[in-house]
Amino acid sequence: MRFISTRGNVGQIGFIDAFLMGLGNDGGLLVPAQIPVIEEATLKQWQNLTFQELMLEIFSYYTNGEIPEADLKQMVYASYGRFRDEEVTPVRKLKDGLFLLELFHGPTFAFKDIALQLMGELYSYVAKKDGRKIHILGATSGDTGASAIEGVKGKEGIKICILHPHQKVSKVQELQMTTVQEDNVLNLSVHGNFDDCQRIIKELFADVNYKTTNHLAAINSINFVRILAQTVYYFYAYFQLQKQGVSGKVDFSVPTGNFGDIFAGYLAKRMGLPVGKLILATNENNILERFVKEGIYKPGNFQSTYSPSMDIQVASNFERYLYYVLGENPEAVVSLMEGFKREGQIVVNGDTLRQVQEDFAAHGVVGEECLNTIRRYKEETGYLLDPHSACGVAAADQCEAGGVCVSLATAHPAKFDEAIRLCSIEQTFPEPIARLFDQPRRQIVVDGTQEAIVQELGRFFR
Ligand SMILES: *Cc1c(COP(=O)(O)O)cnc(C)c1O
């Protein structure tokens, strides 16, 4: 498989180059030149595979043999050997017609671990093999940072700098990032919100000269490999349901911020997985909900909510979907993205909007609905949802039209005790989280300007 850019100005590149490029050098996002379609007979053969085996099968369609099979296998097994559940991403029945896909059994208790454990291994592999310097630079609304740091701390040839919005991440998220003592890790706590962090990072990545001289590498979901790793659990969940006697198409409800996770679901569907609707769950930061309902993509006012990892207005991966819904036409993407920069909005209508509404349903959780959902499911089923997973479940309840739905549980409730306590529910922290509270912390608080960030990076990436 070769990779191209949504804006049409990156020549066809291979898997490792796409992994290292992160953001396309033309400012677009990398996508496979053609999405491989898995035949039904092959899907049947995959039914009984373990998560790890399934990942190796899916990756084989994309890696062009650039990584020897034995090496990739070793990396995959090392990545998921650190998970606390043997199934990696188990499926649990919540009630009739509604299942939860638990994605939080990795080291930092959120779904980001699934892609980032593997990407940590891959970066380390490339650093060793080519003697390359790898300087990872990322922005986080809380979970990506913790997970990426966990994936590469102490690894030779790799440095990682993570920007998070100052005092806008949960306590546990902050502790997971800042209690890491390895010298190859730098945490910048940035005055501003996640969109500010993401914008600064994107500007630095878009400056190809800066990017190359500083050996920058991306772990945000602008990186296609992250998306690809996440398609695996959509397939895995589908096969788990088949084993439980479910037949036909399955809907997925996805708590959404940067559109990365739900785009992975879209890719799985395009690869031939029998997915019905993708239900897009947001909180008050509902730009994507409005897009699905009205065809208008226009950032609103940023709001801090109970589900901080979804407090995002400008969704990086949205451009990937635009590319497909516009018929894989890079000129059309460029024109809409330029219009977005000029006018601050993108509008689609007619057949395009009909296609959007065919692909997605959407629900934005507002006000007390998030906490009420947590309380109600705790009472009715005994299951404690984290606030992000609760948005997914609330959206599934709202949008599901009688089919079978899998709602993605993207984090463990212990990461977001602030919201859980507001529900008057007491939880016991798992030991790896409990032990963070009395450890020393390391971070630098900086202004939310490109200048201030570049200055810190200059010292660190030397
Ligand atoms: C990152 C995150 C999301 C949103 O995922 P996107 O890929 O950005 O859409 C949802 N829930 C949790 C817990 C997260 O960490």
Side-chain angles (χ1 to χ4, degrees):
M1 180 63 64
R2 303 264 118 192
F3 295 84
I4 55 175
S5 163
T6 49
R7 299 196 191 174
N9 275 317
V10 173
Q12 303 219 343
I13 57 173
F15 179 79
I16 290 182
D17 285 340
F19 171 58
L20 292 175
M21 190 178 285
L23 184 70
N25 280 351
D26 63 352
L29 293 172
L30 298 173
V31 289
Q34 290 108 24
I35 296 177
V37 176
I38 316 297
E39 289 181 10
E40 247 182 87
T42 311
L43 284 178
K44 271 223 167 73
Q45 288 167 4
W46 287 1
Q47 267 187 57
N48 293 313
L49 299 183
T50 62
F51 180 90
Q52 290 89 335
E53 290 166 341
L54 192 53
M55 179 170 260
L56 289 167
E57 290 293 334
I58 291 174
F59 269 61
S60 72
Y61 285 82
Y62 291 89
T63 50
N64 315 309
E66 290 174 40
I67 305 170
E69 223 178 290
D71 292 348
L72 189 59
K73 191 168 173 183
Q74 189 273 325
M75 288 188 261
V76 167
Y77 280 82
S79 300
Y80 303 104
R82 299 180 197 117
F83 277 56
R84 291 176 303 278
D85 193 295
E86 183 184 328
E87 283 200 75
V88 187
T89 61
V91 175
R92 312 228 179 276
K93 182 166 176 176
L94 205 51
K95 64 179 185 191
D96 281 345
L98 182 60
F99 295 80
L100 270 187
L101 173 57
E102 291 185 344
L103 301 173
F104 51 72
H105 295 291
T108 69
F109 294 82
F111 85 91
K112 307 295 202 297
D113 286 330
I114 291 162
L116 291 173
Q117 282 295 314
L118 180 70
M119 285 170 70
E121 293 289 328
L122 271 172
Y123 277 127
S124 183
Y125 176 80
V126 178
K128 268 196 217 119
K129 188 166 129 299
D130 304 342
R132 255 177 211 271
K133 271 192 197 168
I134 306 256
H135 293 163
I136 296 172
L137 178 61
T140 187
S141 54
D143 291 325
T144 290
S147 190
I149 290 170
E150 192 59 37
V152 301
K153 65 180 185 194
K155 284 196 168 140
E156 212 176 302
I158 303 181
K159 288 184 183 178
I160 180 165
C161 171
I162 296 293
L163 279 60
H164 70 262
H166 186 57
Q167 291 180 343
K168 290 195 174 67
V169 298
S170 83
K171 188 74 212 163
V172 171
Q173 287 179 320
E174 185 187 328
L175 288 171
Q176 283 180 331
M177 291 189 277
T178 59
T179 54
V180 174
Q181 298 300 320
E182 274 81 356
D183 283 332
N184 72 332
V185 175
L186 173 66
N187 280 292
L188 295 180
S189 183
V190 179
H191 285 294
N193 59 40
F194 172 75
D195 289 311
D196 299 320
C197 298
Q198 176 154 272
R199 180 178 35 77
I200 294 169
I201 298 275
K202 269 190 109 170
E203 284 166 6
L204 295 178
F205 274 96
D207 180 342
V208 176
N209 184 32
Y210 184 83
K211 173 175 165 181
T212 338
T213 48
N214 286 285
H215 313 282
L216 296 192
I219 37 85
N220 282 97
S221 50
I222 53 177
N223 198 310
F224 181 77
V225 176
R226 183 160 146 186
I227 304 289
L228 184 60
Q230 292 172 190
T231 60
V232 178
Y233 49 70
Y234 285 89
F235 283 87
Y236 190 68
Y238 177 81
F239 296 136
Q240 298 313 302
L241 286 195
Q242 285 207 312
K243 280 184 204 152
Q244 299 192 25
V246 171
S247 61
K249 288 190 177 172
V250 171
D251 298 331
F252 285 89
S253 181
V254 188
T256 303
N258 234 335
F259 206 78
D261 207 5
I262 198 163
F263 183 79
Y266 177 77
L267 181 61
K269 183 175 182 177
R270 294 286 297 248
M271 287 171 72
L273 191 71
V275 175
K277 274 265 188 301
L278 289 162
I279 299 169
L280 192 157
T282 68
N283 57 30
E284 279 90 342
N285 299 291
N286 66 345
I287 178 172
L288 291 163
E289 179 204 8
R290 286 181 282 118
F291 174 72
V292 170
K293 291 184 169 161
E294 299 155 21
I296 301 170
Y297 180 84
K298 183 179 180 197
N301 288 328
F302 176 89
Q303 288 188 54
S304 287
T305 72
Y306 301 124
S307 45
S309 302
M310 294 157 62
D311 289 348
I312 295 175
Q313 289 283 343
V314 182
S316 255
N317 273 282
F318 180 65
E319 181 168 339
R320 284 199 169 99
Y321 175 66
L322 264 188
Y323 173 77
Y324 288 104
V325 80
L326 296 171
E328 305 184 33
N329 176 348
E331 288 82 30
V333 174
V334 169
S335 148
L336 284 188
M337 292 313 290
E338 279 175 356
F340 181 62
K341 219 169 177 181
R342 244 185 357 254
E343 288 143 30
Q345 65 171 6
I346 290 173
V347 180
V348 301
N349 39 40
D351 285 345
T352 310
L353 182 56
R354 264 190 291 281
Q355 185 59 50
V356 171
Q357 293 173 345
E358 179 74 33
D359 293 332
F360 300 101
H363 175 65
V365 171
V366 293
E368 294 305 293
E369 190 181 356
C370 176
L371 301 187
N372 288 340
T373 307
I374 296 174
R375 279 193 205 102
R376 183 155 54 84
Y377 275 87
K378 182 75 173 85
E379 270 168 36
E380 289 173 6
T381 69
Y383 195 100
L384 182 59
L385 295 162
D386 101 285
H388 306 79
S389 310
C391 291
V393 166
D397 279 340
Q398 196 69 34
C399 302
E400 186 51 55
V404 171
C405 185
V406 174
S407 194
L408 274 53
T410 49
H412 189 287
K415 278 197 106 158
F416 302 97
D417 197 44
E418 291 86 345
I420 303 298
R421 259 186 286 162
L422 289 174
C423 299
S424 310
I425 296 172
E426 265 193 51
Q427 59 177 330
T428 9
F429 286 165
E431 193 276 328
I433 289 184
R435 97 165 93 88
L436 296 173
F437 283 83
D438 44 46
Q439 287 179 18
R441 293 162 216 180
R442 282 166 66 152
Q443 65 177 328
I444 299 175
V445 181
V446 289
D447 279 345
T449 62
Q450 204 197 79
E451 260 179 317
I453 308 288
V454 165
Q455 200 172 29
E456 291 301 335
L457 292 180
R459 267 180 232 138
F460 182 60
F461 285 155
R462 240 200 322 248

